[in-house]
Structures are given as structure tokens and as C-alpha cells.
mmCIF file of all heavy atoms in Angstrom:
data_model
loop_
_atom_site.group_PDB
_atom_site.id
_atom_site.type_symbol
_atom_site.label_atom_id
_atom_site.label_comp_id
_atom_site.label_asym_id
_atom_site.label_seq_id
_atom_site.Cartn_x
_atom_site.Cartn_y
_atom_site.Cartn_z
ATOM 1 N N SER A 1 -106.170 198.912 56.106
ATOM 2 C CA SER A 1 -106.954 199.591 57.152
ATOM 3 C C SER A 1 -108.445 199.304 57.040
ATOM 4 O O SER A 1 -109.113 199.222 58.037
ATOM 5 C CB SER A 1 -106.771 201.136 56.931
ATOM 6 O OG SER A 1 -105.350 201.480 57.081
ATOM 7 N N GLN A 2 -108.978 199.092 55.836
ATOM 8 C CA GLN A 2 -110.380 198.661 55.668
ATOM 9 C C GLN A 2 -110.663 197.439 56.421
ATOM 10 O O GLN A 2 -111.656 197.270 57.076
ATOM 11 C CB GLN A 2 -110.709 198.502 54.175
ATOM 12 C CG GLN A 2 -110.905 199.913 53.365
ATOM 13 C CD GLN A 2 -111.293 199.510 51.954
ATOM 14 O OE1 GLN A 2 -110.496 199.327 51.111
ATOM 15 N NE2 GLN A 2 -112.568 199.317 51.705
ATOM 16 N N LEU A 3 -109.777 196.403 56.196
ATOM 17 C CA LEU A 3 -109.976 195.170 56.830
ATOM 18 C C LEU A 3 -109.808 195.323 58.347
ATOM 19 O O LEU A 3 -110.624 194.703 59.061
ATOM 20 C CB LEU A 3 -108.914 194.173 56.336
ATOM 21 C CG LEU A 3 -109.019 193.722 54.808
ATOM 22 C CD1 LEU A 3 -107.801 192.977 54.391
ATOM 23 C CD2 LEU A 3 -110.294 192.959 54.631
ATOM 24 N N HIS A 4 -108.812 196.077 58.774
ATOM 25 C CA HIS A 4 -108.593 196.192 60.174
ATOM 26 C C HIS A 4 -109.772 196.902 60.898
ATOM 27 O O HIS A 4 -110.163 196.491 61.991
ATOM 28 C CB HIS A 4 -107.244 197.022 60.441
ATOM 29 C CG HIS A 4 -106.798 197.018 61.814
ATOM 30 N ND1 HIS A 4 -107.082 198.093 62.621
ATOM 31 C CD2 HIS A 4 -106.176 196.124 62.566
ATOM 32 C CE1 HIS A 4 -106.518 197.851 63.891
ATOM 33 N NE2 HIS A 4 -105.955 196.607 63.817
ATOM 34 N N ALA A 5 -110.312 197.890 60.305
ATOM 35 C CA ALA A 5 -111.428 198.657 60.854
ATOM 36 C C ALA A 5 -112.720 197.773 60.975
ATOM 37 O O ALA A 5 -113.505 197.947 61.895
ATOM 38 C CB ALA A 5 -111.806 199.875 59.978
ATOM 39 N N ALA A 6 -112.792 196.740 60.176
ATOM 40 C CA ALA A 6 -114.017 195.766 60.179
ATOM 41 C C ALA A 6 -113.676 194.676 61.202
ATOM 42 O O ALA A 6 -114.590 193.901 61.455
ATOM 43 C CB ALA A 6 -114.069 195.154 58.820
ATOM 44 N N GLY A 7 -112.558 194.672 61.881
ATOM 45 C CA GLY A 7 -112.273 193.699 62.935
ATOM 46 C C GLY A 7 -111.374 192.566 62.552
ATOM 47 O O GLY A 7 -110.975 191.689 63.364
ATOM 48 N N VAL A 8 -110.769 192.645 61.334
ATOM 49 C CA VAL A 8 -109.755 191.590 60.883
ATOM 50 C C VAL A 8 -108.444 191.914 61.587
ATOM 51 O O VAL A 8 -107.990 193.075 61.648
ATOM 52 C CB VAL A 8 -109.546 191.690 59.382
ATOM 53 C CG1 VAL A 8 -108.410 190.596 59.002
ATOM 54 C CG2 VAL A 8 -110.877 191.385 58.675
ATOM 55 N N GLU A 9 -107.782 190.884 62.160
ATOM 56 C CA GLU A 9 -106.504 191.072 62.827
ATOM 57 C C GLU A 9 -105.431 191.055 61.675
ATOM 58 O O GLU A 9 -105.511 190.296 60.780
ATOM 59 C CB GLU A 9 -106.276 189.945 63.778
ATOM 60 C CG GLU A 9 -104.960 190.103 64.544
ATOM 61 C CD GLU A 9 -104.665 188.887 65.390
ATOM 62 O OE1 GLU A 9 -104.488 187.671 64.902
ATOM 63 O OE2 GLU A 9 -104.635 189.031 66.655
ATOM 64 N N ILE A 10 -104.440 191.931 61.898
ATOM 65 C CA ILE A 10 -103.366 192.022 60.885
ATOM 66 C C ILE A 10 -102.043 191.502 61.564
ATOM 67 O O ILE A 10 -101.690 192.019 62.639
ATOM 68 C CB ILE A 10 -103.156 193.483 60.368
ATOM 69 C CG1 ILE A 10 -104.480 194.133 59.914
ATOM 70 C CG2 ILE A 10 -102.109 193.470 59.216
ATOM 71 C CD1 ILE A 10 -105.071 193.419 58.747
ATOM 72 N N ALA A 11 -101.464 190.569 60.871
ATOM 73 C CA ALA A 11 -100.205 189.992 61.494
ATOM 74 C C ALA A 11 -99.042 190.232 60.564
ATOM 75 O O ALA A 11 -99.189 190.126 59.351
ATOM 76 C CB ALA A 11 -100.334 188.421 61.797
ATOM 77 N N LEU A 12 -97.902 190.542 61.025
ATOM 78 C CA LEU A 12 -96.732 190.695 60.299
ATOM 79 C C LEU A 12 -95.894 189.389 60.476
ATOM 80 O O LEU A 12 -95.376 189.102 61.479
ATOM 81 C CB LEU A 12 -95.927 191.943 60.732
ATOM 82 C CG LEU A 12 -94.573 192.185 59.957
ATOM 83 C CD1 LEU A 12 -94.906 192.396 58.471
ATOM 84 C CD2 LEU A 12 -93.902 193.409 60.551
ATOM 85 N N ASP A 13 -95.808 188.642 59.311
ATOM 86 C CA ASP A 13 -95.147 187.340 59.376
ATOM 87 C C ASP A 13 -93.620 187.349 59.058
ATOM 88 O O ASP A 13 -93.170 188.445 58.482
ATOM 89 C CB ASP A 13 -95.834 186.478 58.234
ATOM 90 C CG ASP A 13 -95.611 184.965 58.489
ATOM 91 O OD1 ASP A 13 -95.108 184.579 59.582
ATOM 92 O OD2 ASP A 13 -96.032 184.186 57.589
ATOM 93 N N ASP A 14 -92.960 186.375 59.446
ATOM 94 C CA ASP A 14 -91.500 186.339 59.222
ATOM 95 C C ASP A 14 -90.762 187.542 59.729
ATOM 96 O O ASP A 14 -89.792 187.992 59.211
ATOM 97 C CB ASP A 14 -91.170 186.144 57.686
ATOM 98 C CG ASP A 14 -91.832 184.920 57.146
ATOM 99 O OD1 ASP A 14 -92.211 183.961 57.879
ATOM 100 O OD2 ASP A 14 -92.134 184.859 55.905
ATOM 101 N N PHE A 15 -91.194 187.979 60.870
ATOM 102 C CA PHE A 15 -90.508 189.153 61.413
ATOM 103 C C PHE A 15 -89.049 188.930 61.714
ATOM 104 O O PHE A 15 -88.663 187.918 62.293
ATOM 105 C CB PHE A 15 -91.228 189.606 62.726
ATOM 106 C CG PHE A 15 -90.767 190.987 63.274
ATOM 107 C CD1 PHE A 15 -91.299 192.135 62.755
ATOM 108 C CD2 PHE A 15 -89.772 191.043 64.244
ATOM 109 C CE1 PHE A 15 -90.860 193.400 63.295
ATOM 110 C CE2 PHE A 15 -89.301 192.153 64.744
ATOM 111 C CZ PHE A 15 -89.851 193.348 64.207
ATOM 112 N N GLY A 16 -88.199 189.907 61.409
ATOM 113 C CA GLY A 16 -86.790 189.888 61.658
ATOM 114 C C GLY A 16 -86.021 189.505 60.465
ATOM 115 O O GLY A 16 -84.688 189.566 60.528
ATOM 116 N N THR A 17 -86.635 189.136 59.430
ATOM 117 C CA THR A 17 -85.874 188.687 58.154
ATOM 118 C C THR A 17 -85.829 189.864 57.101
ATOM 119 O O THR A 17 -85.145 189.700 56.102
ATOM 120 C CB THR A 17 -86.575 187.529 57.466
ATOM 121 O OG1 THR A 17 -87.946 187.791 57.091
ATOM 122 C CG2 THR A 17 -86.544 186.278 58.366
ATOM 123 N N GLY A 18 -86.510 190.927 57.430
ATOM 124 C CA GLY A 18 -86.542 192.116 56.420
ATOM 125 C C GLY A 18 -85.617 193.245 56.933
ATOM 126 O O GLY A 18 -84.720 193.039 57.717
ATOM 127 N N PHE A 19 -85.911 194.444 56.352
ATOM 128 C CA PHE A 19 -85.018 195.552 56.589
ATOM 129 C C PHE A 19 -85.742 196.715 57.372
ATOM 130 O O PHE A 19 -85.007 197.565 57.861
ATOM 131 C CB PHE A 19 -84.501 196.136 55.271
ATOM 132 C CG PHE A 19 -83.679 195.083 54.555
ATOM 133 C CD1 PHE A 19 -84.279 194.317 53.533
ATOM 134 C CD2 PHE A 19 -82.356 194.896 54.863
ATOM 135 C CE1 PHE A 19 -83.507 193.413 52.810
ATOM 136 C CE2 PHE A 19 -81.656 193.918 54.232
ATOM 137 C CZ PHE A 19 -82.163 193.232 53.180
ATOM 138 N N ALA A 20 -86.978 196.775 57.329
ATOM 139 C CA ALA A 20 -87.695 198.016 57.837
ATOM 140 C C ALA A 20 -88.891 197.653 58.719
ATOM 141 O O ALA A 20 -89.861 198.340 58.733
ATOM 142 C CB ALA A 20 -88.047 198.963 56.826
ATOM 143 N N SER A 21 -88.807 196.605 59.437
ATOM 144 C CA SER A 21 -89.930 196.021 60.178
ATOM 145 C C SER A 21 -90.460 196.984 61.234
ATOM 146 O O SER A 21 -91.610 197.206 61.419
ATOM 147 C CB SER A 21 -89.660 194.609 60.802
ATOM 148 O OG SER A 21 -89.310 193.749 59.801
ATOM 149 N N LEU A 22 -89.511 197.686 61.980
ATOM 150 C CA LEU A 22 -89.939 198.517 63.067
ATOM 151 C C LEU A 22 -90.689 199.720 62.470
ATOM 152 O O LEU A 22 -91.588 200.255 63.074
ATOM 153 C CB LEU A 22 -88.629 198.997 63.819
ATOM 154 C CG LEU A 22 -87.960 197.942 64.619
ATOM 155 C CD1 LEU A 22 -86.734 198.428 65.357
ATOM 156 C CD2 LEU A 22 -88.913 197.301 65.616
ATOM 157 N N THR A 23 -90.281 200.219 61.300
ATOM 158 C CA THR A 23 -90.998 201.257 60.607
ATOM 159 C C THR A 23 -92.512 200.898 60.334
ATOM 160 O O THR A 23 -93.366 201.645 60.600
ATOM 161 C CB THR A 23 -90.296 201.657 59.249
ATOM 162 O OG1 THR A 23 -88.989 202.123 59.621
ATOM 163 C CG2 THR A 23 -91.067 202.787 58.579
ATOM 164 N N HIS A 24 -92.586 199.660 59.839
ATOM 165 C CA HIS A 24 -93.929 199.150 59.493
ATOM 166 C C HIS A 24 -94.771 198.951 60.743
ATOM 167 O O HIS A 24 -95.955 199.148 60.800
ATOM 168 C CB HIS A 24 -93.810 197.862 58.714
ATOM 169 C CG HIS A 24 -93.157 198.027 57.469
ATOM 170 N ND1 HIS A 24 -92.324 197.071 56.868
ATOM 171 C CD2 HIS A 24 -93.091 199.023 56.471
ATOM 172 C CE1 HIS A 24 -91.836 197.495 55.766
ATOM 173 N NE2 HIS A 24 -92.291 198.705 55.503
ATOM 174 N N LEU A 25 -94.184 198.530 61.796
ATOM 175 C CA LEU A 25 -94.929 198.402 63.164
ATOM 176 C C LEU A 25 -95.512 199.778 63.557
ATOM 177 O O LEU A 25 -96.536 199.775 64.117
ATOM 178 C CB LEU A 25 -93.945 197.913 64.225
ATOM 179 C CG LEU A 25 -93.612 196.416 64.149
ATOM 180 C CD1 LEU A 25 -92.690 196.058 65.312
ATOM 181 C CD2 LEU A 25 -94.858 195.487 64.248
ATOM 182 N N ARG A 26 -94.787 200.828 63.307
ATOM 183 C CA ARG A 26 -95.227 202.092 63.669
ATOM 184 C C ARG A 26 -96.293 202.680 62.835
ATOM 185 O O ARG A 26 -97.221 203.382 63.166
ATOM 186 C CB ARG A 26 -94.027 203.036 63.768
ATOM 187 C CG ARG A 26 -94.379 204.406 64.434
ATOM 188 C CD ARG A 26 -93.174 205.300 64.564
ATOM 189 N NE ARG A 26 -92.681 205.765 63.231
ATOM 190 C CZ ARG A 26 -91.569 205.451 62.714
ATOM 191 N NH1 ARG A 26 -90.710 204.555 63.249
ATOM 192 N NH2 ARG A 26 -91.191 205.905 61.557
ATOM 193 N N ARG A 27 -96.174 202.454 61.464
ATOM 194 C CA ARG A 27 -96.951 203.076 60.512
ATOM 195 C C ARG A 27 -98.295 202.285 60.123
ATOM 196 O O ARG A 27 -99.267 202.828 59.657
ATOM 197 C CB ARG A 27 -96.220 203.398 59.208
ATOM 198 C CG ARG A 27 -95.008 204.358 59.382
ATOM 199 C CD ARG A 27 -94.219 204.454 58.182
ATOM 200 N NE ARG A 27 -94.938 204.891 56.923
ATOM 201 C CZ ARG A 27 -94.504 204.870 55.818
ATOM 202 N NH1 ARG A 27 -93.241 204.528 55.481
ATOM 203 N NH2 ARG A 27 -95.269 205.266 54.792
ATOM 204 N N MET A 28 -98.165 201.002 60.206
ATOM 205 C CA MET A 28 -99.253 200.130 59.699
ATOM 206 C C MET A 28 -100.114 199.576 60.824
ATOM 207 O O MET A 28 -99.704 199.501 61.964
ATOM 208 C CB MET A 28 -98.688 198.987 58.854
ATOM 209 C CG MET A 28 -97.868 199.346 57.696
ATOM 210 S SD MET A 28 -98.768 200.335 56.517
ATOM 211 C CE MET A 28 -99.979 199.197 55.961
ATOM 212 N N PRO A 29 -101.434 199.303 60.539
ATOM 213 C CA PRO A 29 -102.288 198.738 61.567
ATOM 214 C C PRO A 29 -101.986 197.347 61.859
ATOM 215 O O PRO A 29 -102.824 196.443 61.532
ATOM 216 C CB PRO A 29 -103.715 198.910 60.919
ATOM 217 C CG PRO A 29 -103.409 198.752 59.452
ATOM 218 C CD PRO A 29 -102.145 199.427 59.240
ATOM 219 N N ILE A 30 -100.878 196.995 62.489
ATOM 220 C CA ILE A 30 -100.484 195.668 62.753
ATOM 221 C C ILE A 30 -100.769 195.291 64.219
ATOM 222 O O ILE A 30 -100.429 196.038 65.165
ATOM 223 C CB ILE A 30 -98.985 195.456 62.486
ATOM 224 C CG1 ILE A 30 -98.700 195.641 61.015
ATOM 225 C CG2 ILE A 30 -98.457 194.095 62.976
ATOM 226 C CD1 ILE A 30 -97.215 195.728 60.664
ATOM 227 N N ASP A 31 -101.413 194.113 64.484
ATOM 228 C CA ASP A 31 -101.840 193.669 65.743
ATOM 229 C C ASP A 31 -100.812 192.626 66.300
ATOM 230 O O ASP A 31 -100.635 192.527 67.559
ATOM 231 C CB ASP A 31 -103.231 193.063 65.763
ATOM 232 C CG ASP A 31 -104.301 194.014 65.182
ATOM 233 O OD1 ASP A 31 -104.485 195.041 65.762
ATOM 234 O OD2 ASP A 31 -104.730 193.712 64.021
ATOM 235 N N ARG A 32 -100.330 191.753 65.414
ATOM 236 C CA ARG A 32 -99.574 190.662 65.871
ATOM 237 C C ARG A 32 -98.243 190.633 65.059
ATOM 238 O O ARG A 32 -98.160 190.912 63.880
ATOM 239 C CB ARG A 32 -100.357 189.371 65.561
ATOM 240 C CG ARG A 32 -99.703 188.036 65.904
ATOM 241 C CD ARG A 32 -100.527 186.848 65.437
ATOM 242 N NE ARG A 32 -101.821 186.934 66.115
ATOM 243 C CZ ARG A 32 -102.047 186.191 67.242
ATOM 244 N NH1 ARG A 32 -101.130 185.538 67.806
ATOM 245 N NH2 ARG A 32 -103.274 186.292 67.788
ATOM 246 N N ILE A 33 -97.222 190.180 65.813
ATOM 247 C CA ILE A 33 -95.907 189.941 65.210
ATOM 248 C C ILE A 33 -95.562 188.482 65.237
ATOM 249 O O ILE A 33 -95.754 187.817 66.338
ATOM 250 C CB ILE A 33 -94.777 190.753 65.878
ATOM 251 C CG1 ILE A 33 -95.046 192.237 65.605
ATOM 252 C CG2 ILE A 33 -93.374 190.271 65.389
ATOM 253 C CD1 ILE A 33 -94.091 193.097 66.374
ATOM 254 N N LYS A 34 -95.180 187.815 64.117
ATOM 255 C CA LYS A 34 -94.815 186.437 64.127
ATOM 256 C C LYS A 34 -93.261 186.371 63.895
ATOM 257 O O LYS A 34 -92.740 186.682 62.971
ATOM 258 C CB LYS A 34 -95.506 185.693 63.059
ATOM 259 C CG LYS A 34 -97.067 185.755 63.171
ATOM 260 C CD LYS A 34 -97.785 184.837 62.262
ATOM 261 C CE LYS A 34 -97.678 183.393 62.687
ATOM 262 N NZ LYS A 34 -98.459 182.493 61.858
ATOM 263 N N ILE A 35 -92.533 185.880 64.977
ATOM 264 C CA ILE A 35 -91.093 185.696 64.908
ATOM 265 C C ILE A 35 -90.745 184.572 64.033
ATOM 266 O O ILE A 35 -91.201 183.456 64.156
ATOM 267 C CB ILE A 35 -90.532 185.566 66.359
ATOM 268 C CG1 ILE A 35 -90.947 186.687 67.253
ATOM 269 C CG2 ILE A 35 -88.946 185.445 66.165
ATOM 270 C CD1 ILE A 35 -90.406 186.462 68.651
ATOM 271 N N ASP A 36 -89.913 184.792 63.098
ATOM 272 C CA ASP A 36 -89.532 183.809 62.006
ATOM 273 C C ASP A 36 -88.913 182.570 62.760
ATOM 274 O O ASP A 36 -88.158 182.692 63.624
ATOM 275 C CB ASP A 36 -88.591 184.362 61.095
ATOM 276 C CG ASP A 36 -88.370 183.437 59.889
ATOM 277 O OD1 ASP A 36 -89.243 183.213 59.036
ATOM 278 O OD2 ASP A 36 -87.202 182.903 59.841
ATOM 279 N N ARG A 37 -89.253 181.434 62.129
ATOM 280 C CA ARG A 37 -88.732 180.164 62.700
ATOM 281 C C ARG A 37 -87.259 180.071 62.727
ATOM 282 O O ARG A 37 -86.659 179.288 63.435
ATOM 283 C CB ARG A 37 -89.399 178.963 61.979
ATOM 284 C CG ARG A 37 -88.897 178.869 60.455
ATOM 285 C CD ARG A 37 -89.461 177.726 59.690
ATOM 286 N NE ARG A 37 -90.962 177.908 59.629
ATOM 287 C CZ ARG A 37 -91.830 177.136 60.243
ATOM 288 N NH1 ARG A 37 -91.447 176.149 61.097
ATOM 289 N NH2 ARG A 37 -93.058 177.354 60.177
ATOM 290 N N SER A 38 -86.552 180.769 61.895
ATOM 291 C CA SER A 38 -85.039 180.751 61.849
ATOM 292 C C SER A 38 -84.487 181.191 63.127
ATOM 293 O O SER A 38 -83.366 180.812 63.557
ATOM 294 C CB SER A 38 -84.523 181.585 60.663
ATOM 295 O OG SER A 38 -84.861 182.921 60.899
ATOM 296 N N PHE A 39 -85.200 182.090 63.985
ATOM 297 C CA PHE A 39 -84.720 182.505 65.332
ATOM 298 C C PHE A 39 -85.185 181.510 66.433
ATOM 299 O O PHE A 39 -84.569 181.507 67.482
ATOM 300 C CB PHE A 39 -85.256 183.865 65.507
ATOM 301 C CG PHE A 39 -84.768 184.968 64.575
ATOM 302 C CD1 PHE A 39 -85.648 185.387 63.643
ATOM 303 C CD2 PHE A 39 -83.473 185.459 64.679
ATOM 304 C CE1 PHE A 39 -85.172 186.458 62.739
ATOM 305 C CE2 PHE A 39 -83.043 186.387 63.768
ATOM 306 C CZ PHE A 39 -83.949 186.896 62.847
ATOM 307 N N ILE A 40 -86.080 180.704 66.108
ATOM 308 C CA ILE A 40 -86.650 179.791 67.137
ATOM 309 C C ILE A 40 -85.910 178.472 67.154
ATOM 310 O O ILE A 40 -85.695 177.810 68.177
ATOM 311 C CB ILE A 40 -88.182 179.530 66.962
ATOM 312 C CG1 ILE A 40 -88.949 180.869 66.920
ATOM 313 C CG2 ILE A 40 -88.745 178.691 68.031
ATOM 314 C CD1 ILE A 40 -88.801 181.728 68.199
ATOM 315 N N SER A 41 -85.454 177.937 65.995
ATOM 316 C CA SER A 41 -84.908 176.673 65.854
ATOM 317 C C SER A 41 -83.668 176.491 66.709
ATOM 318 O O SER A 41 -83.449 175.390 67.270
ATOM 319 C CB SER A 41 -84.596 176.380 64.433
ATOM 320 O OG SER A 41 -83.562 177.397 63.891
ATOM 321 N N ASN A 42 -82.871 177.548 66.966
ATOM 322 C CA ASN A 42 -81.730 177.282 67.774
ATOM 323 C C ASN A 42 -81.698 178.272 69.040
ATOM 324 O O ASN A 42 -80.769 178.554 69.625
ATOM 325 C CB ASN A 42 -80.448 177.730 66.850
ATOM 326 C CG ASN A 42 -79.197 177.173 67.372
ATOM 327 O OD1 ASN A 42 -79.219 176.057 67.910
ATOM 328 N ND2 ASN A 42 -78.095 177.879 67.218
ATOM 329 N N LEU A 43 -82.995 178.513 69.428
ATOM 330 C CA LEU A 43 -83.137 179.415 70.520
ATOM 331 C C LEU A 43 -82.532 178.964 71.817
ATOM 332 O O LEU A 43 -81.928 179.755 72.559
ATOM 333 C CB LEU A 43 -84.666 179.581 70.741
ATOM 334 C CG LEU A 43 -85.058 180.511 71.851
ATOM 335 C CD1 LEU A 43 -84.698 181.969 71.554
ATOM 336 C CD2 LEU A 43 -86.628 180.487 72.062
ATOM 337 N N THR A 44 -82.545 177.641 72.052
ATOM 338 C CA THR A 44 -82.117 177.124 73.365
ATOM 339 C C THR A 44 -80.550 176.997 73.350
ATOM 340 O O THR A 44 -79.890 176.775 74.464
ATOM 341 C CB THR A 44 -82.687 175.784 73.743
ATOM 342 O OG1 THR A 44 -82.394 174.853 72.605
ATOM 343 C CG2 THR A 44 -84.150 175.884 73.909
ATOM 344 N N ASN A 45 -79.864 177.170 72.170
ATOM 345 C CA ASN A 45 -78.452 176.966 72.057
ATOM 346 C C ASN A 45 -77.645 178.223 71.750
ATOM 347 O O ASN A 45 -76.424 178.300 71.744
ATOM 348 C CB ASN A 45 -78.055 175.855 71.108
ATOM 349 C CG ASN A 45 -78.710 174.509 71.485
ATOM 350 O OD1 ASN A 45 -78.608 174.140 72.696
ATOM 351 N ND2 ASN A 45 -79.198 173.823 70.586
ATOM 352 N N SER A 46 -78.365 179.239 71.194
ATOM 353 C CA SER A 46 -77.753 180.424 70.656
ATOM 354 C C SER A 46 -78.077 181.635 71.567
ATOM 355 O O SER A 46 -79.184 182.068 71.692
ATOM 356 C CB SER A 46 -78.169 180.695 69.256
ATOM 357 O OG SER A 46 -77.777 181.971 68.742
ATOM 358 N N VAL A 47 -76.988 182.316 72.113
ATOM 359 C CA VAL A 47 -77.168 183.474 72.890
ATOM 360 C C VAL A 47 -77.636 184.606 72.072
ATOM 361 O O VAL A 47 -78.581 185.432 72.460
ATOM 362 C CB VAL A 47 -75.896 183.907 73.573
ATOM 363 C CG1 VAL A 47 -75.952 185.181 74.315
ATOM 364 C CG2 VAL A 47 -75.339 182.748 74.495
#
């Protein structure tokens, strides 16, 4: 929060590989979500 209040952007990396990401999105000062590469690599072939 100290960093965020000073203007630093906070990004949540590897999103989708953990267990409680939505909770953290709600509780923490997160500005950016980075979708993990494991979901992107087969994006055009996997429904």
C-alpha cells in the first residue's frame, strides 16, 4: 500500500495458477493482472 500510494503500479503475475486470486483482487491494491503463459500458448486451439 505504501508503494501504491506513491504511484507504483501493482501487478498480479501468473494469474490463474493459484487458489485465491479473486480474493486478492478484492483485498489488495492491484492495478494489473497478468494472465499466465500456460493459458495463452494454446489459446487458438483450446476452447
Side-chain angles (χ1 to χ4, degrees):
S1 296
Q2 283 181 272
L3 293 170
H4 190 260
V8 177
E9 184 183 63
I10 311 296
L12 182 58
D13 201 7
D14 300 335
F15 187 84
T17 59
F19 298 98
S21 298
L22 293 179
T23 300
H24 297 144
L25 283 179
R26 188 176 72 250
R27 296 173 57 187
M28 300 300 295
I30 293 171
D31 305 293
R32 177 187 299 269
I33 292 172
K34 300 190 74 174
I35 303 176
D36 187 70
R37 66 182 62 250
S38 62
F39 297 104
I40 304 301
S41 61
N42 203 32
L43 181 65
T44 58
N45 300 315
S46 170
V47 175

